[in-house]
Amino acid sequence: MMRTLSKALFLLFGVIAITRLAALVVSRRLDEGTEVSDEVRRVVLFDGVEFESRAGGLRNAEISVVMGSARVDLRHADIDPGGAILLLENTLGGLMVHVRDDWAVTVDDVLVGGGEVEVRVTPPDELPVDAPRLNVQAITRLGGTVITSRDPGT
C-alpha cells in the first residue's frame, strides 16, 4: 500500500516538474520584444513575472497569463502619437497593469466564468483632449485583472 502511494506521489511530482519546465520553455520562446520595444509580447504559464516598459513609442503590447501572475508597469513608457493597444488575456491567474495617470485609457473587457476586471484610472473628463490614448482589450477567464494609474497600496 505504502509502496503504491509512494510511486503515485513520485509520478505526480514528476509530471508537475515536467509540465512546469515545458511551460517555462514555451513561454520564453513566445516572448517578443524588450523593455524598450514599441511592440512587445509576454506569455506567462504557471509562473509569475514582472515587466516594466520604457518604450519611446509604445504601439502594441500583448500579455497572456495562464495559471500564473504578472505585474506590468507602463508608467515609464511613452505612447505612440497614434495611440497604443494593450491586449490582456488572463486565464486562472492574476494580472496587474500600472499605467500613467495622464493617459486616456479605455477598457473593453470580456469576462468568462467569473472573471473580474477592475479599472482605476483617471476619468476621461479630467484629461486634455489630446492626452495619449491607450485602448485596453481585457479577456479574463476565472481570474482577476487590475488596470490602475494609482500607486500600489492606494
Side-chain angles (χ1 to χ4, degrees):
M1 171 84 166
M2 287 301 281
R3 179 174 267 199
T4 304
L5 182 59
S6 295
K7 285 181 181 180
L9 286 174
F10 182 75
L11 180 63
L12 176 64
F13 287 124
V15 169
I16 290 171
I18 290 170
T19 303
R20 175 106 166 84
L21 181 61
L24 183 63
V25 170
V26 168
S27 66
R28 297 298 179 251
R29 298 194 97 189
L30 294 174
D31 285 353
E32 294 178 359
T34 67
E35 290 79 9
V36 295
S37 299
D38 295 335
E39 298 194 9
V40 66
R41 175 172 51 180
R42 287 291 175 271
V43 177
V44 182
L45 302 171
F46 308 109
D47 201 3
V49 299
E50 291 190 12
F51 177 76
E52 180 179 310
S53 176
R54 296 183 308 279
L58 184 66
R59 285 186 302 277
N60 291 298
E62 179 180 336
I63 311 297
S64 297
V65 176
V66 177
M67 295 182 74
S69 65
R71 182 184 162 277
V72 179
D73 192 343
L74 302 178
R75 293 175 292 184
H76 301 288
D78 292 315
I79 289 182
D80 183 81
I85 296 173
L86 175 60
L87 174 60
L88 305 173
E89 290 191 71
N90 181 4
T91 304
L92 293 167
L95 178 56
M96 177 167 275
V97 179
H98 295 277
V99 299
R100 291 183 13 190
D101 60 4
D102 62 340
W103 290 354
V105 179
T106 58
V107 178
D108 300 317
D109 58 359
V110 176
L111 306 175
V112 179
E116 182 176 349
V117 175
E118 183 178 337
V119 181
R120 300 181 303 214
V121 297
T122 306
D125 58 344
E126 295 179 17
L127 293 167
V129 294
D130 61 345
R133 303 220 173 269
L134 177 65
N135 180 23
V136 180
Q137 299 168 355
I139 302 167
T140 304
R141 301 172 193 95
L142 293 170
T145 300
V146 176
I147 303 151
T148 182
S149 61
R150 299 179 186 156
D151 288 327
T154 62

